Amino acid sequence: MKFSLNRELLLKPLLLVSGAVERKSTLPILGNILFDVSEQSLTLTATDLELEMVAYAEIDNQGSVGKITIPARKLLDICKSLPENSNITFSSQNDTDTVTLSSGRSRYSLSTLAADDFPNIEEWKGDVEFKLLKSELLRLIESTHFSMANQDVRYYLNGMSIESEGHEIRSVATDGHRLAICKISNESLSLPARQVIVPRKGILEIIRLLSPVDDEIQVYLGSNHIRIIDSEFSFTSKLVDGRFPDYRRVLPRNGDKIFVTNKEELRQVLSRASILSNEKFKGVRLNFLNSLLKITANNPEQEQAEEELEIDFPYDELEIGFNVSYVLDVLSAIKDEEVKFTLADANSSVVIEGAQTGEALYVVMPMRL
């Protein structure tokens, strides 16, 4: 096997697939990338048995077709350190378990593992498939991903629910203390009602892969996998086997106090107040008066922060406590200039959404302070 290609043409697919390489695996081959050479094209595959990433490159093939696995981290470090636009040649003899990289006066010999031992996520067909713009899928996921649980014993919360129904695609994430829902409607879609849970690692990898551009990608939902196919890569993730909670039951219905304010002003006063909140619980107290919002935070060192914001609140006075990190996460995710809070009383969850678009909705439980 012998082929060569430009460093830049190799680096992009290498960086794409490296996210799926297992860092601390007991299986050495999961630290390698599978190189599959056929005619003038190269397919790179990496997996950790939960995720699989495939990317492609064009090559100048001077030998036979074949497969080989190469240590991912070392190969990536070598490619990054070679000069820009240098040409890299890979050569390997069938009877050896090494591959030689040469570029200019540089030569590297890396040990390989048998390509036949490389795990392959079985072929499957998605029973729900649809096309979305990359920017839409990214918006769907970035609007809700921060509400996923992290290492919760309720394993089905350590991921995101992706749902299809009719013209709509929804993303839902919750950690039990907060809930985030985002939906995208597209009249050209006609989808069956379906719900899958994509694990946390898969969601973070999708965010890394996607850019906010108006290029279409294909999404497949199967019984055990989700697959996203782009012209440059194919991404597959196993799904979490479990039932996502019925979040519609916990959506507050009794909110009768609506408060709209400038998002950036509110974000700034909450950020400042959070500096002196309890580092562990991050609690802040919000006092809603007719024309004033008073925000106070204190910590075990008896330090205190007070902030005030002019508002229009034509209701009875209300005092409510929140984990300020949860509210700041929501304010960072909302794209509108103004935010709308729907409140009921001190013991009820608050609903937060953008005042204009309303495609994303957030529920934050109150804290007793």
Side-chain angles (χ1 to χ4, degrees):
M1 183 191 287
K2 185 177 182 183
F3 62 91
S4 56
L5 74 168
N6 184 288
R7 168 186 176 267
E8 272 51 46
L9 290 178
L10 176 61
L11 203 49
K12 190 172 183 185
L14 258 185
L15 288 166
L16 278 175
V17 301
S18 61
V21 174
E22 183 58 69
R23 301 278 184 271
K24 305 182 285 286
S25 173
T26 49
L27 280 174
I29 199 153
L30 296 184
N32 283 19
I33 292 173
L34 177 68
F35 277 55
D36 186 351
V37 177
S38 65
E39 304 305 329
Q40 301 301 311
S41 70
L42 169 67
T43 304
L44 292 83
T45 308
T47 183
D48 63 1
L49 300 181
E50 296 291 320
L51 308 178
E52 181 185 74
M53 269 300 306
V54 182
Y56 314 96
E58 285 187 12
I59 55 170
D60 174 19
N61 189 4
Q62 300 132 27
S64 58
V65 300
K67 297 180 180 181
I68 190 170
T69 76
I70 304 176
R73 178 57 41 205
K74 292 170 187 168
L75 177 62
L76 190 57
D77 288 347
I78 291 168
C79 288
K80 281 180 177 175
S81 58
L82 286 170
E84 278 187 27
N85 285 315
S86 51
N87 205 50
I88 306 173
T89 300
F90 290 75
S91 57
S92 168
Q93 304 301 324
N94 290 340
D95 55 349
T96 64
D97 48 10
T98 59
V99 61
T100 303
L101 277 69
S102 50
S103 177
R105 294 186 172 184
S106 308
R107 272 175 67 83
Y108 300 89
S109 183
L110 292 172
S111 63
T112 63
L113 293 167
D116 294 343
D117 297 337
F118 195 82
N120 182 19
I121 290 183
E122 71 275 9
E123 281 303 310
W124 56 277
K125 279 210 62 72
D127 41 16
V128 178
E129 53 183 271
F130 52 88
K131 282 192 168 85
L132 268 185
L133 298 178
K134 283 186 186 178
S135 53
E136 288 180 325
L137 183 58
L138 191 60
R139 194 166 78 239
L140 203 61
I141 289 174
E142 284 193 328
S143 297
T144 55
H145 78 97
F146 53 84
S147 293
M148 293 186 294
N150 191 5
Q151 296 180 327
D152 197 297
V153 291
R154 297 164 293 180
Y155 60 93
Y156 47 83
L157 297 185
N158 301 321
M160 181 183 292
S161 173
I162 303 284
E163 304 172 10
S164 66
E165 188 176 7
H167 303 309
E168 265 187 18
I169 297 164
R170 286 185 298 275
S171 64
V172 188
T174 179
D175 60 5
H177 303 287
R178 53 180 167 171
L179 168 70
I181 306 169
C182 182
K183 64 175 187 284
I184 283 178
S185 293
N186 188 331
E187 291 302 316
S188 65
L189 294 173
S190 177
L191 298 168
R194 188 68 198 279
Q195 183 183 51
V196 300
I197 307 174
V198 184
R200 181 186 181 84
K201 184 175 179 183
I203 290 295
L204 298 178
E205 192 61 22
I206 293 170
I207 292 174
R208 185 182 77 89
L209 291 170
L210 294 178
S211 48
V213 293
D214 290 342
D215 295 344
E216 276 197 335
I217 49 168
Q218 188 86 25
V219 181
Y220 296 90
L221 306 180
S223 52
N224 300 313
H225 297 90
I226 179 173
R227 179 167 285 169
I228 296 171
I229 294 182
D230 177 46
S231 56
E232 294 181 336
F233 66 81
S234 163
F235 166 83
T236 308
S237 169
K238 283 189 176 174
L239 299 174
V240 176
D241 184 17
R243 275 188 68 78
F244 202 74
D246 182 4
Y247 57 89
R248 291 178 181 85
R249 290 207 348 255
V250 301
L251 288 175
R253 307 251 184 258
N254 58 344
D256 55 358
K257 302 174 183 65
I258 291 175
F259 142 68
V260 177
T261 189
N262 180 282
K263 179 190 76 175
E264 194 51 37
E265 284 180 11
L266 181 61
R267 197 185 67 76
Q268 286 178 9
V269 294
L270 286 173
S271 295
R272 291 198 294 269
S274 72
I275 296 167
L276 296 186
S277 65
N278 183 319
E279 285 184 14
K280 192 173 180 187
F281 302 112
K282 287 286 180 192
V284 295
R285 190 177 276 107
L286 279 65
N287 281 76
F288 290 90
L289 311 172
N290 286 125
S291 58
L292 201 65
L293 170 61
K294 289 179 73 173
I295 297 165
T296 53
N298 47 41
N299 59 29
E301 287 83 56
Q302 307 302 313
E303 297 165 331
Q304 184 164 339
E306 286 186 20
E307 290 279 352
E308 290 185 351
L309 191 65
E310 282 187 25
I311 61 164
D312 178 23
F313 193 75
Y315 311 98
D316 293 342
E317 292 181 8
L318 174 66
E319 180 179 299
I320 190 166
F322 288 115
N323 180 323
V324 70
S325 302
Y326 294 172
V327 182
L328 287 171
D329 282 345
V330 170
L331 296 179
S332 298
I334 289 175
K335 301 290 184 279
D336 299 16
E337 284 187 14
E338 294 198 312
V339 288
K340 181 172 89 173
F341 284 62
T342 306
L343 302 135
D345 53 54
N347 300 315
S348 299
S349 298
V350 61
V351 177
I352 311 173
E353 53 198 315
Q356 284 83 35
T357 56
E359 71 174 19
L361 181 142
Y362 304 93
V363 179
V364 180
M365 283 174 68
M367 270 179 92
R368 291 222 168 109
L369 294 172

PDB file of all heavy atoms in Angstrom, residues 2 6 8 24 38 63 103 111 131 135-136 138 162 199 209 240 355 366:
ATOM      1  N   LYS A   2       0.570   2.157  -0.913  1.00  0.00           N
ATOM      2  CA  LYS A   2       1.346   3.402  -0.967  1.00  0.00           C
ATOM      3  C   LYS A   2       0.457   4.506  -1.547  1.00  0.00           C
ATOM      4  O   LYS A   2      -0.143   4.324  -2.603  1.00  0.00           O
ATOM      5  CB  LYS A   2       2.598   3.230  -1.825  1.00  0.00           C
ATOM      6  CG  LYS A   2       3.506   4.465  -1.806  1.00  0.00           C
ATOM      7  CD  LYS A   2       4.768   4.245  -2.611  1.00  0.00           C
ATOM      8  CE  LYS A   2       5.674   5.463  -2.537  1.00  0.00           C
ATOM      9  NZ  LYS A   2       6.876   5.322  -3.363  1.00  0.00           N
ATOM     10  N   ASN A   6      -1.746  15.943   0.248  1.00  0.00           N
ATOM     11  CA  ASN A   6      -1.332  17.188   0.868  1.00  0.00           C
ATOM     12  C   ASN A   6      -1.700  17.193   2.356  1.00  0.00           C
ATOM     13  O   ASN A   6      -2.736  16.668   2.750  1.00  0.00           O
ATOM     14  CB  ASN A   6      -2.052  18.340   0.134  1.00  0.00           C
ATOM     15  CG  ASN A   6      -1.630  19.705   0.638  1.00  0.00           C
ATOM     16  OD1 ASN A   6      -1.999  20.095   1.738  1.00  0.00           O
ATOM     17  ND2 ASN A   6      -0.875  20.428  -0.163  1.00  0.00           N
ATOM     18  N   GLU A   8      -2.815  19.511   4.317  1.00  0.00           N
ATOM     19  CA  GLU A   8      -4.093  20.162   4.636  1.00  0.00           C
ATOM     20  C   GLU A   8      -5.281  19.255   4.313  1.00  0.00           C
ATOM     21  O   GLU A   8      -6.285  19.256   5.021  1.00  0.00           O
ATOM     22  CB  GLU A   8      -4.234  21.475   3.852  1.00  0.00           C
ATOM     23  CG  GLU A   8      -3.638  22.698   4.529  1.00  0.00           C
ATOM     24  CD  GLU A   8      -2.196  22.516   4.993  1.00  0.00           C
ATOM     25  OE1 GLU A   8      -1.355  21.992   4.243  1.00  0.00           O
ATOM     26  OE2 GLU A   8      -1.913  22.893   6.131  1.00  0.00           O
ATOM     27  N   LYS A  24      -8.986   6.486  26.850  1.00  0.00           N
ATOM     28  CA  LYS A  24      -8.475   5.608  27.912  1.00  0.00           C
ATOM     29  C   LYS A  24      -9.063   4.210  27.769  1.00  0.00           C
ATOM     30  O   LYS A  24      -9.615   3.656  28.710  1.00  0.00           O
ATOM     31  CB  LYS A  24      -8.841   6.182  29.286  1.00  0.00           C
ATOM     32  CG  LYS A  24      -8.379   7.599  29.517  1.00  0.00           C
ATOM     33  CD  LYS A  24      -8.714   8.109  30.902  1.00  0.00           C
ATOM     34  CE  LYS A  24     -10.161   8.439  31.070  1.00  0.00           C
ATOM     35  NZ  LYS A  24     -10.569   9.676  30.411  1.00  0.00           N
ATOM     36  N   SER A  38      -9.214   3.044  -1.340  1.00  0.00           N
ATOM     37  CA  SER A  38      -9.825   2.429  -2.521  1.00  0.00           C
ATOM     38  C   SER A  38      -9.706   3.404  -3.682  1.00  0.00           C
ATOM     39  O   SER A  38     -10.106   4.562  -3.572  1.00  0.00           O
ATOM     40  CB  SER A  38     -11.296   2.093  -2.260  1.00  0.00           C
ATOM     41  OG  SER A  38     -12.028   3.264  -2.050  1.00  0.00           O
ATOM     42  N   GLY A  63      -0.365   2.524  -5.084  1.00  0.00           N
ATOM     43  CA  GLY A  63      -0.230   1.104  -4.759  1.00  0.00           C
ATOM     44  C   GLY A  63      -1.574   0.408  -4.848  1.00  0.00           C
ATOM     45  O   GLY A  63      -2.471   0.823  -5.589  1.00  0.00           O
ATOM     46  N   SER A 103       7.831  12.861   4.494  1.00  0.00           N
ATOM     47  CA  SER A 103       7.485  14.184   3.987  1.00  0.00           C
ATOM     48  C   SER A 103       8.770  14.994   3.952  1.00  0.00           C
ATOM     49  O   SER A 103       9.363  15.265   4.991  1.00  0.00           O
ATOM     50  CB  SER A 103       6.454  14.849   4.899  1.00  0.00           C
ATOM     51  OG  SER A 103       6.178  16.151   4.439  1.00  0.00           O
ATOM     52  N   SER A 111       3.733   1.939  14.470  1.00  0.00           N
ATOM     53  CA  SER A 111       3.231   0.558  14.521  1.00  0.00           C
ATOM     54  C   SER A 111       1.737   0.556  14.223  1.00  0.00           C
ATOM     55  O   SER A 111       1.012   1.482  14.585  1.00  0.00           O
ATOM     56  CB  SER A 111       3.506  -0.050  15.897  1.00  0.00           C
ATOM     57  OG  SER A 111       2.806   0.675  16.878  1.00  0.00           O
ATOM     58  N   LYS A 131     -34.167  15.934   6.238  1.00  0.00           N
ATOM     59  CA  LYS A 131     -33.079  16.861   5.925  1.00  0.00           C
ATOM     60  C   LYS A 131     -33.301  18.146   6.711  1.00  0.00           C
ATOM     61  O   LYS A 131     -34.420  18.615   6.865  1.00  0.00           O
ATOM     62  CB  LYS A 131     -33.060  17.180   4.420  1.00  0.00           C
ATOM     63  CG  LYS A 131     -32.446  16.097   3.548  1.00  0.00           C
ATOM     64  CD  LYS A 131     -32.214  16.655   2.138  1.00  0.00           C
ATOM     65  CE  LYS A 131     -31.343  15.725   1.300  1.00  0.00           C
ATOM     66  NZ  LYS A 131     -32.107  14.676   0.661  1.00  0.00           N
ATOM     67  N   SER A 135     -27.378  24.925  10.253  1.00  0.00           N
ATOM     68  CA  SER A 135     -27.631  26.008  11.206  1.00  0.00           C
ATOM     69  C   SER A 135     -28.856  25.690  12.073  1.00  0.00           C
ATOM     70  O   SER A 135     -28.899  26.028  13.252  1.00  0.00           O
ATOM     71  CB  SER A 135     -27.823  27.339  10.469  1.00  0.00           C
ATOM     72  OG  SER A 135     -28.821  27.202   9.469  1.00  0.00           O
ATOM     73  N   GLU A 136     -29.875  25.028  11.467  1.00  0.00           N
ATOM     74  CA  GLU A 136     -31.090  24.695  12.232  1.00  0.00           C
ATOM     75  C   GLU A 136     -30.801  23.621  13.281  1.00  0.00           C
ATOM     76  O   GLU A 136     -31.222  23.729  14.427  1.00  0.00           O
ATOM     77  CB  GLU A 136     -32.183  24.192  11.289  1.00  0.00           C
ATOM     78  CG  GLU A 136     -32.789  25.276  10.422  1.00  0.00           C
ATOM     79  CD  GLU A 136     -33.879  24.734   9.499  1.00  0.00           C
ATOM     80  OE1 GLU A 136     -33.766  23.589   9.028  1.00  0.00           O
ATOM     81  OE2 GLU A 136     -34.830  25.482   9.250  1.00  0.00           O
ATOM     82  N   LEU A 138     -27.939  22.885  14.586  1.00  0.00           N
ATOM     83  CA  LEU A 138     -27.052  23.462  15.606  1.00  0.00           C
ATOM     84  C   LEU A 138     -27.857  24.313  16.592  1.00  0.00           C
ATOM     85  O   LEU A 138     -27.652  24.245  17.804  1.00  0.00           O
ATOM     86  CB  LEU A 138     -25.962  24.304  14.922  1.00  0.00           C
ATOM     87  CG  LEU A 138     -24.806  24.768  15.802  1.00  0.00           C
ATOM     88  CD1 LEU A 138     -24.070  23.584  16.405  1.00  0.00           C
ATOM     89  CD2 LEU A 138     -23.823  25.625  15.007  1.00  0.00           C
ATOM     90  N   ILE A 162     -34.455  13.869  21.232  1.00  0.00           N
ATOM     91  CA  ILE A 162     -34.739  14.452  19.914  1.00  0.00           C
ATOM     92  C   ILE A 162     -36.067  13.846  19.456  1.00  0.00           C
ATOM     93  O   ILE A 162     -36.212  12.625  19.416  1.00  0.00           O
ATOM     94  CB  ILE A 162     -33.626  14.119  18.887  1.00  0.00           C
ATOM     95  CG1 ILE A 162     -32.260  14.593  19.393  1.00  0.00           C
ATOM     96  CG2 ILE A 162     -33.953  14.717  17.519  1.00  0.00           C
ATOM     97  CD1 ILE A 162     -32.002  16.067  19.310  1.00  0.00           C
ATOM     98  N   PRO A 199     -26.971  10.317  23.673  1.00  0.00           N
ATOM     99  CA  PRO A 199     -26.144  10.513  24.871  1.00  0.00           C
ATOM    100  C   PRO A 199     -25.375  11.830  24.845  1.00  0.00           C
ATOM    101  O   PRO A 199     -25.129  12.403  23.778  1.00  0.00           O
ATOM    102  CB  PRO A 199     -25.198   9.309  24.859  1.00  0.00           C
ATOM    103  CG  PRO A 199     -25.193   8.819  23.457  1.00  0.00           C
ATOM    104  CD  PRO A 199     -26.539   9.163  22.880  1.00  0.00           C
ATOM    105  N   LEU A 209     -18.986  19.298  15.437  1.00  0.00           N
ATOM    106  CA  LEU A 209     -18.937  19.017  13.999  1.00  0.00           C
ATOM    107  C   LEU A 209     -19.658  20.057  13.154  1.00  0.00           C
ATOM    108  O   LEU A 209     -19.269  20.319  12.014  1.00  0.00           O
ATOM    109  CB  LEU A 209     -19.564  17.644  13.711  1.00  0.00           C
ATOM    110  CG  LEU A 209     -18.808  16.416  14.203  1.00  0.00           C
ATOM    111  CD1 LEU A 209     -19.680  15.185  14.053  1.00  0.00           C
ATOM    112  CD2 LEU A 209     -17.511  16.239  13.421  1.00  0.00           C
ATOM    113  N   VAL A 240     -29.419   6.199  23.965  1.00  0.00           N
ATOM    114  CA  VAL A 240     -29.610   5.764  25.344  1.00  0.00           C
ATOM    115  C   VAL A 240     -30.888   4.931  25.387  1.00  0.00           C
ATOM    116  O   VAL A 240     -31.939   5.349  24.889  1.00  0.00           O
ATOM    117  CB  VAL A 240     -29.739   6.977  26.291  1.00  0.00           C
ATOM    118  CG1 VAL A 240     -30.038   6.516  27.714  1.00  0.00           C
ATOM    119  CG2 VAL A 240     -28.466   7.816  26.254  1.00  0.00           C
ATOM    120  N   ALA A 355     -38.736  37.128  24.006  1.00  0.00           N
ATOM    121  CA  ALA A 355     -39.992  37.878  23.878  1.00  0.00           C
ATOM    122  C   ALA A 355     -40.504  37.886  22.438  1.00  0.00           C
ATOM    123  O   ALA A 355     -41.692  38.052  22.206  1.00  0.00           O
ATOM    124  CB  ALA A 355     -39.776  39.306  24.380  1.00  0.00           C
ATOM    125  N   PRO A 366     -37.589  26.962  41.404  1.00  0.00           N
ATOM    126  CA  PRO A 366     -37.097  27.938  42.398  1.00  0.00           C
ATOM    127  C   PRO A 366     -36.251  27.255  43.462  1.00  0.00           C
ATOM    128  O   PRO A 366     -36.271  26.037  43.604  1.00  0.00           O
ATOM    129  CB  PRO A 366     -38.399  28.498  43.009  1.00  0.00           C
ATOM    130  CG  PRO A 366     -39.381  27.377  42.860  1.00  0.00           C
ATOM    131  CD  PRO A 366     -39.010  26.632  41.609  1.00  0.00           C
TER     132      PRO A 366
END
